Every structure is written in structure tokens, then in C-alpha cells.
Amino acid sequence: MFRRDVQPLGDILQQFLRNEGLETPLLQKRIVDSWEAVVGDTVKHYTKEKFIKNQVLYVKILNPALRQNLSMRRSQLTVELNKFVGTSVITDVIVY
């Protein structure tokens, strides 16, 4: 008889992504895409661009009052976005 080492497909895919260096970019893409789901439709309409650099999410907001409000909620947004993805991807959110 052959002894087979059976692993779940999800574990194999995660290991492949990690070995190929694709896990972090994929998680960063998920964070950027989850911005609208976390902040809601109202903020979504005032969001111009989003990107991650050095584990910090940068978000351009067109409305100055909304920008100030989101700046005061930086730590809360960081926790919510990381929780949405399921792992710690970003360390801060900068709203400009």
C-alpha cells in the first residue's frame, strides 16, 4: 500500500502563495478593495485613490470635513480593515 500525505487544498494554495512571494501583495489588494465595505457608501463617493506603501494605507478623500473625521479614526480604521481581511496587513491609515 502507498502512504499518501493528504493535505487540504486551501493549505496547499496558501503555502504556494507564501513560497512564491504572492501572499502579501494579495492581502494588500484585499485591504484596498475592502475600503468601501468598511467605511460605507457615503465615504466611497468621496474617495479618490487608495494605495499601500510600507504597510501604511494611503487614502485620498475629496471632502475636507470627512477627511478630518476619518483622520481622527485612523486606529479604528486600521483595526477594522485588518479584521475584515483576517490578518494584520497594515499598521496605519493616512487620509490626505
Side-chain angles (χ1 to χ4, degrees), residues 26-37:
L26 180 62
L27 291 172
Q28 290 177 346
K29 173 79 168 112
R30 285 183 183 170
I31 286 278
V32 170
D33 291 345
S34 67
W35 172 257
E36 287 86 9

Side-chain angles (χ1 to χ4, degrees), residues 73-87:
R73 294 181 44 211
R74 286 174 35 191
S75 61
Q76 180 185 1
L77 288 170
T78 302
V79 169
E80 289 178 17
L81 287 164
N82 283 328
K83 185 177 179 182
F84 193 87
V85 174
T87 186

Side-chain angles (χ1 to χ4, degrees), residues 36-62:
E36 287 86 9
V38 171
V39 296
D41 288 335
T42 304
V43 177
K44 178 175 86 170
H45 295 297
Y46 292 104
T47 302
K48 181 72 174 171
E49 59 186 46
K50 309 169 292 255
F51 64 93
I52 294 178
K53 183 176 181 181
N54 297 330
Q55 295 182 325
V56 176
L57 175 64
Y58 293 87
V59 183
K60 183 171 186 175
I61 301 293
L62 301 176

Side-chain angles (χ1 to χ4, degrees), residues 4-17:
R4 296 185 180 176
D5 186 22
V6 179
Q7 296 178 344
L9 184 58
D11 293 347
I12 294 171
L13 286 173
Q14 187 172 4
Q15 184 179 12
F16 172 77
L17 290 172

